[in-house]
Amino acid sequence: MSVYKVYVENSCIRFVPEGHAGDGEPSLAVAPGESVSMTKLLQKLQFTKKLYVISENIERIFDEFRASLPFIEAAGGLVVDDAAKVLMIFRNGRWDLPKGKLEPGERIEECAVREVSEECALPLQELRRDDKIADTYHCYRIGDRWVLKRTSWYRMRYAGAVAPRPQTAEGITRAEWVAREQIPARLSGAYYTIRDVFREAGLSD
């Protein structure tokens, strides 16, 4: 079953097949032959923080929605060291994970490792990429236009001796290893997408 979760500021839209919306939850049913626009979704989100978009062909609906907006590909990593600590960064007032946009001609897996290396000043050769955790989606404004970003997240391991340093040119002020027991406090003000990555990786509830 395909379910797509898209964050729009502090709201969440779930694109789900018929019969998979929560009972009594705000929803938007899309009939065969119809499509869903950002304008229509924003109208609905004026009254709720959670919205289900329902269709018998949710793959088509989501593909058309994605095609209707400028689309940005990005990738990042959830990196663990030998002490089972997780690499986190502090950027724009929130704890986050290292990530960044895909460059022309680059594979998404390469992008994930490169961005971790660049944003935390860790040697590229010391980072080992493992399996994919999840894709996250969120919409945000660039000027007066909405864009949709998909970020592909991968598990990584780091066994090197170089301490992380923040890439201040990207607005990062801290880059550090976080013990498992400290993760809930760091996630309390994090973006919903970051919370989802930790949840999908089995590192938070």
Side-chain angles (χ1 to χ4, degrees):
M1 180 186 72
S2 295
V3 174
Y4 301 95
K5 184 189 294 186
V6 179
Y7 289 103
V8 182
E9 297 175 341
N10 293 319
S11 300
C12 180
I13 305 168
R14 287 179 169 86
F15 291 75
V16 300
E18 288 182 344
H20 290 87
D23 290 338
E25 296 284 2
S27 62
L28 173 64
V30 185
E34 291 184 347
S35 60
V36 62
S37 66
M38 191 67 190
T39 300
K40 186 180 292 186
L41 293 175
L42 291 172
Q43 290 172 347
K44 288 282 188 179
L45 291 176
Q46 293 181 70
F47 310 104
T48 182
K49 293 295 184 183
K50 187 192 310 183
L51 176 67
Y52 285 88
V53 175
I54 307 165
S55 171
E56 64 180 22
N57 189 348
I58 203 63
E59 292 280 359
R60 178 186 67 80
I61 296 301
F62 184 75
D63 285 347
E64 290 179 357
F65 170 71
R66 187 175 71 177
S68 72
L69 297 171
F71 187 61
I72 297 172
E73 287 269 26
L78 193 155
V79 189
V80 177
D81 70 359
D82 287 342
K85 293 182 177 181
V86 177
L87 181 62
M88 296 191 73
I89 61 174
F90 194 73
R91 171 166 41 199
N92 298 329
R94 297 174 187 252
W95 285 101
D96 203 342
L97 291 172
K99 62 184 181 302
K101 295 178 184 176
L102 184 71
E103 293 185 349
E106 187 177 40
R107 292 191 302 119
I108 198 71
E109 300 92 341
E110 296 169 343
C111 172
V113 179
R114 175 184 56 75
E115 286 291 342
V116 170
S117 174
E118 291 178 356
E119 294 200 337
C120 300
L122 295 179
L124 195 66
Q125 66 272 17
E126 299 289 347
L127 290 165
R128 296 287 179 267
R129 177 179 52 81
D130 292 326
D131 57 312
K132 188 174 183 178
I133 301 169
D135 289 333
T136 59
Y137 293 88
H138 77 281
C139 290
Y140 60 97
R141 288 183 185 273
I142 296 180
D144 60 352
R145 300 186 69 189
W146 285 95
V147 301
L148 174 64
K149 178 189 281 187
R150 175 173 65 192
T151 306
S152 300
W153 296 96
Y154 294 87
R155 299 179 197 269
M156 296 182 201
R157 295 197 63 83
Y158 178 70
V162 176
R165 298 193 318 275
Q167 188 182 22
T168 54
E170 290 293 324
I172 305 168
T173 55
R174 296 168 70 180
E176 57 191 54
W177 297 106
V178 179
R180 297 291 176 91
E181 62 269 19
Q182 297 174 320
I183 289 174
R186 301 290 177 97
L187 291 180
S188 63
Y191 294 107
Y192 292 119
T193 51
I194 300 302
R195 298 186 205 181
D196 285 351
V197 174
F198 274 88
R199 191 177 303 113
E200 290 292 330
L203 296 180
S204 73
D205 298 329

